[in-house]
Amino acid sequence: MRTTVGIIGGGPSGLLLARLLHRAGVDCVVLESRQRAYVERRQRAGILEQSTVDALREAGAAERLDAEGLVHDGIELRWGGGRSHRIDFPSLASGRRVWVYAQTEVVKDLIALRVADGAPLHFGAEVTSVKGVGTDRPVVTYVQEGRTRTLICDYVVGCDGFHGVTRAAVPGAARTTYERTYPYSWLGILADVPPSCDELVYAHSSRGFALHSMRSPDISRLYLQVPNGTDPASWSDEQIWDELDFRFAREGRQLARGPITAKSVLPMRSSVTEPMRFGRLFLAGDAAHIVPPTGAKGLNLAVADVVVLARALIRQRTAGSTDLLDAYSDTCLRRVWRAEHFSWFMTTTLHTDPEQSGFDTRLQISQLERIASSPHAAAELASNYAGLPIS
């Protein structure tokens, strides 16, 4: 096959990029290694910042989001066994807010649109190599239904994650990766019970962090900080609910309990690979950067990447100018490092490091007290959480 843009990875970033390019008349092919049923079941992020929602609306992909998504105007911070403070996004972040709408639903919406458009989207297409990215005719080789095929492109975009083929296609001497691994993980659960709160609750406690989120008015999503290497099966349902009650400590109030339908452990790490472009190859999303989920930035960063890239590719096609393509990496990395810092800040402020001293804990409490008492500190948190405009 021959195409202008070959997109490797059929997650939200690859699919959104394909949608934006298709609407602008730029031809592209999406290759996804997994089958459609698997892709539409993958449980991932659930918080969409303002810029992500704006991008989905611009792409004509927000009909179900606008009908079913839960608009949130703030989050609650809890600490000290009873202290709490609400961060009001609209008043602190120039009217910006966030939406609760699962990544799986975003993917379903984008797949349905691409199929309806009759545009090339190949599932079960496992990419084995990306070559010639330093030339003007990169070649992608993939295997589908037992047959080896090739896709010749003008540009290749890697939306295939940290362990994908595209990141490895950049010569080691041409890229630098900065990483940090945290000494704890999240035990996440899905429960068939209405949320016990109207907005997300981030809790700091003497026994570690906890987060109360939701997927819908009837399904709760909750997380507990646990040691690295934890087996989710080692926690009984009763233990999980008891520990959540302790960490969310509110006098006279307990969480509503219900059947736990899924348990998983999520490691916490940060990673940035620079640059995000090599020749005709562009990296986006997890292929270029990973953030701990505390700041709800992973999916939103990936969307920002492909919005910037779509504008650049469309400009090259319509005006013949490569200025935005040449600036792609620098443009994205400014936002990436801001999000990395914010995610690090939220993570280290709210989690209890197994090695930390009482001094470190007091610093965390002092920071939370400052957010509660300083409009400037609260506005900084709100602006980063609700998301900066994509420029």
Side-chain angles (χ1 to χ4, degrees):
M1 288 191 295
R2 178 77 173 81
T3 189
T4 300
V5 183
I7 301 171
I8 303 176
S13 57
L15 291 166
L16 178 58
L17 176 60
R19 175 69 177 173
L20 293 170
L21 294 178
H22 177 78
R23 284 166 67 88
V26 179
D27 63 296
C28 59
V29 174
V30 181
L31 303 176
E32 166 57 46
S33 63
R34 302 283 192 166
Q35 296 298 331
R36 178 175 179 175
Y38 178 91
V39 173
E40 293 185 335
R41 287 198 306 267
R42 279 190 294 213
Q43 290 294 328
R44 292 290 189 270
I47 303 297
L48 308 183
E49 64 183 40
Q50 181 76 59
S51 292
T52 296
V53 173
D54 293 344
L56 290 169
R57 287 172 174 163
E58 179 186 347
E63 182 177 350
R64 201 157 63 92
L65 163 63
D66 285 330
E68 301 175 15
L70 306 176
V71 181
H72 280 203
D73 284 339
I75 59 172
E76 181 184 346
L77 302 176
R78 289 187 191 173
W79 70 97
R83 287 278 284 126
S84 69
H85 180 74
R86 181 177 180 271
I87 304 294
D88 185 81
F89 294 153
S91 65
L92 294 168
S94 303
R96 300 172 73 80
R97 43 176 51 94
V98 299
W99 280 251
V100 174
Y101 190 69
Q103 177 173 315
T104 49
E105 305 309 311
V106 174
V107 168
K108 289 176 187 176
D109 295 342
L110 290 168
I111 288 176
L113 288 169
R114 189 146 183 91
V115 171
D117 288 337
L121 170 56
H122 300 276
F123 293 103
E126 184 177 357
V127 174
T128 56
S129 71
V130 179
K131 296 181 179 179
V133 294
T135 73
D136 60 359
R137 288 293 183 273
V139 178
V140 178
T141 302
Y142 65 101
V143 177
Q144 187 179 35
E145 297 179 344
R147 293 181 57 190
T148 299
R149 307 165 189 261
T150 57
L151 176 65
I152 302 171
C153 318
D154 291 340
Y155 301 97
V156 176
V157 182
C159 300
D160 53 343
F162 183 83
H163 298 290
V165 172
T166 54
R167 184 173 169 274
V170 180
R175 57 181 160 91
T176 302
T177 299
Y178 303 91
E179 295 183 283
R180 171 176 295 218
T181 300
Y182 296 87
Y184 33 72
S185 300
W186 279 8
L187 170 62
I189 66 165
L190 278 173
D192 284 342
V193 60
S196 298
C197 54
D198 295 326
E199 297 173 333
L200 274 68
V201 178
Y202 287 76
H204 174 286
S205 82
S206 60
R207 298 213 296 242
F209 169 78
L211 170 63
H212 192 315
S213 183
M214 62 279 296
R215 282 293 178 265
S216 74
D218 302 310
I219 299 176
S220 295
R221 181 69 159 156
L222 301 105
Y223 299 92
L224 286 171
Q225 176 188 337
V226 295
N228 287 338
T230 293
D231 178 0
S234 67
W235 283 73
S236 70
D237 291 9
E238 185 177 11
Q239 286 176 310
I240 291 172
W241 288 116
D242 288 346
E243 188 64 19
L244 287 166
D245 273 333
F246 175 85
R247 297 190 193 186
F248 285 119
R250 288 293 297 271
E251 187 175 349
R253 295 178 61 184
Q254 288 188 321
L255 298 174
R257 301 190 177 194
I260 294 177
T261 59
K263 299 177 189 176
S264 60
V265 169
L266 176 66
M268 308 281 283
R269 65 191 183 100
S270 301
S271 173
V272 179
T273 295
E274 297 184 354
M276 291 172 58
R277 177 195 182 177
F278 181 79
R280 294 292 186 101
L281 170 63
F282 298 83
L283 303 179
D286 286 359
H289 43 73
I290 294 172
V291 292
T294 325
K297 291 294 138 202
L299 169 61
N300 296 295
L301 269 183
V303 166
D305 289 347
V306 298
V307 168
V308 170
L309 185 53
R311 292 172 181 169
L313 289 165
I314 293 166
R315 178 172 172 81
Q316 190 281 329
R317 168 57 70 88
T318 57
S321 172
T322 63
D323 57 343
L324 296 184
L325 286 174
D326 295 338
Y328 169 75
S329 182
D330 290 340
T331 300
C332 290
L333 284 171
R334 283 193 293 272
R335 187 186 190 91
V336 167
W337 280 112
R338 177 85 294 279
E340 289 283 356
H341 183 270
F342 176 67
S343 299
W344 168 85
F345 165 78
M346 292 287 285
T347 301
T348 56
T349 298
L350 292 164
H351 290 71
T352 304
D353 189 322
E355 303 296 325
Q356 81 181 36
S357 65
F359 182 87
D360 297 321
T361 301
R362 291 299 300 143
L363 287 177
Q364 290 177 318
I365 298 301
S366 174
Q367 181 61 60
L368 290 166
E369 295 284 357
R370 179 173 180 269
I371 293 169
S373 60
S374 166
H376 299 293
E380 175 75 6
L381 192 157
S383 294
N384 281 278
Y385 196 102
L388 304 175
I390 300 174
S391 60

